[in-house]
């Protein structure tokens, strides 16, 4: 399968967040009816995005049409500072007209394996499914760690999670040992759109390695995310894009 991400380069992280916020406005306009299923992620650029949406996009978005999921979640209570859901609640949901029935957080009150199972059931119940029995997200927003991980698919668990038969799985953070629930590779690749938000000069080399398909690029989970029939968009700032010719 060809690998040809659509690159959208902005001047800095704030501009990336703004470009992506405009993209959400456009997605809603392009599909004028029905829900948009959007998987969120943790990370620094999404934080800028959530702040911006709450500050400047409250009246530009029909919030009632957005349904939120998480590509991965840390197995901590929702009010823990490490919780991806908790962060979005604080920065965005508390400030915009979104109701609880639109928010589909990972049930971290359960043990990790039970949480992954229940979250997969929720996705199957709420999302449209493809012919392979995989749920389809309209937008799967992801980040990339310096080690090339995405969601909670790390180089260390890539083999099992990229080819998993499950929809969600338990992952262990390779350094902290923290348990996470993550969507698996097949689910990421069943999305109608995968959008990576990647900023900062800490990511420059990794971005170049993956986009230029350099030797060793296949060792990074991000390199394996390429939706089968959906779009792949990389939203970069100039610092992250520096070595791919921008
Ligand atoms: C998480 C994430 C993770 C993140 C990357 C990038 O919960 O930790 O979902 O995959 O997106 O680590 O994070 P930064 O944008 O902060 O570099």
């Amino acid at each position: 399968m060809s690998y040809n991400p659509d690159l959208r380069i902005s001047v800095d992280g704030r501009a990336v967040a703004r470009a992506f916020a405009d993209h959400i406005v456009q997605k809603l306009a392009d599909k004028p009816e029905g829900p948009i299923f959007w998987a969120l992620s943790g990370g620094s650029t999404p934080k800028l995005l959530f702040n911006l949406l709450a500050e400047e996009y409250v009246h530009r978005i029909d919030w009632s049409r957005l349904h939120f999921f998480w590509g991965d979640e840390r197995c901590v209570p929702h009010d823990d500072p490490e919780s991806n859901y908790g962060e979005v609640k604080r920065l965005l949901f508390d400030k915009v007209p979104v109701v609880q029935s639109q928010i589909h957080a990972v049930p971290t009150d359960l043990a990790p394996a039970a949480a992954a199972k229940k979250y997969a059931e929720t996705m199957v119940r709420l999302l449209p499914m493809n012919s392979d029995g995989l749920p389809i997200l309209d937008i799967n927003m992801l980040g990339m760690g310096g080690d090339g991980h995405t969601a909670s698919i790390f180089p260390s668990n890539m083999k099992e999670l990229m080819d998993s038969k499950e929809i969600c799985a338990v992952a262990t953070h390779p350094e902290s040992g923290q348990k996470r629930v993550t969507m698996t590779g097949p689910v990421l690749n069943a999305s109608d759109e995968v959008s990576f938000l990647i900023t900062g000069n800490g990511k420059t080399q990794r971005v170049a390695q993956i986009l230029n398909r350099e030797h060793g690029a296949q060792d990074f989970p991000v390199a394996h995310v390429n939706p089968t029939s959906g779009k792949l968009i990389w939203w970069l700032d100039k610092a992250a894009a520096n070595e791919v010719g921008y």
Side-chain angles (χ1 to χ4, degrees):
M1 201 180 144
S2 75
Y3 189 77
N4 197 13
D6 177 358
L7 301 188
R8 311 277 176 96
I9 321 269
S10 304
V11 63
D12 57 16
R14 289 184 65 83
V16 169
R18 186 172 297 282
F20 192 74
D22 289 340
H23 176 65
I24 297 295
V25 172
Q26 191 58 48
K27 286 285 263 203
L28 286 161
D30 289 346
K31 182 188 168 197
E33 274 177 14
I36 298 264
F37 299 107
W38 178 8
L40 306 175
S41 68
S44 49
T45 317
K47 245 184 236 174
L48 297 174
L49 173 70
F50 303 140
N51 275 323
L52 180 71
L53 289 172
E55 281 161 17
E56 295 185 36
Y57 284 72
V58 184
H59 303 294
R60 294 186 58 195
I61 285 178
D62 178 357
W63 293 95
S64 69
R65 293 185 52 211
L66 296 175
H67 283 257
F68 301 95
F69 293 79
W70 277 263
D72 73 326
E73 180 59 281
R74 293 104 189 260
C75 294
V76 296
H78 284 164
D79 59 0
D80 188 289
E82 283 267 298
S83 165
N84 284 340
Y85 158 77
E87 178 172 270
V88 188
K89 180 179 182 320
R90 278 188 305 280
L91 299 179
L92 185 64
F93 298 152
D94 286 349
K95 302 176 181 168
V96 296
V98 163
V99 295
Q100 210 54 42
S101 59
Q102 295 168 254
I103 302 172
H104 311 291
V106 177
T108 54
D109 51 331
L110 301 176
K117 185 166 178 281
K118 181 127 189 242
Y119 203 49
E121 287 165 5
T122 302
M123 290 173 69
V124 169
R125 185 163 44 83
L126 297 176
L127 294 169
M129 303 288 281
N130 72 12
S131 53
D132 295 328
L134 295 167
I136 307 170
L137 285 145
D138 290 300
I139 308 169
N140 214 323
M141 182 179 92
L142 294 168
M144 176 181 78
D147 59 355
H149 86 262
T150 190
S152 284
I153 308 180
F154 296 92
S156 54
N157 61 21
M158 180 172 87
K159 275 204 169 57
E160 59 184 279
L161 295 186
M162 267 297 162
D163 297 327
S164 175
K165 300 252 178 300
E166 306 298 328
I167 288 170
C168 294
V170 177
T172 304
H173 189 282
E175 280 138 38
S176 66
Q178 183 186 56
K179 295 286 182 205
R180 311 254 181 113
V181 169
T182 186
M183 291 182 192
T184 60
V187 174
L188 303 184
N189 285 330
S191 305
D192 200 44
E193 172 192 308
V194 167
S195 268
F196 281 104
L197 270 51
I198 306 173
T199 59
N201 53 19
K203 307 284 169 70
T204 318
Q205 270 192 319
R206 195 67 77 228
V207 165
Q209 228 175 339
I210 294 171
L211 291 183
N212 297 332
R213 304 313 262 175
E214 284 169 20
H215 181 71
Q218 293 301 319
D219 298 344
F220 305 117
V222 169
H224 297 269
V225 180
N226 188 16
T228 318
S229 52
K231 294 189 203 68
L232 176 61
I233 312 178
W234 281 46
W235 305 81
L236 304 173
D237 69 349
K238 283 199 163 175
N242 194 28
E243 285 186 25
V244 279
Y246 296 89

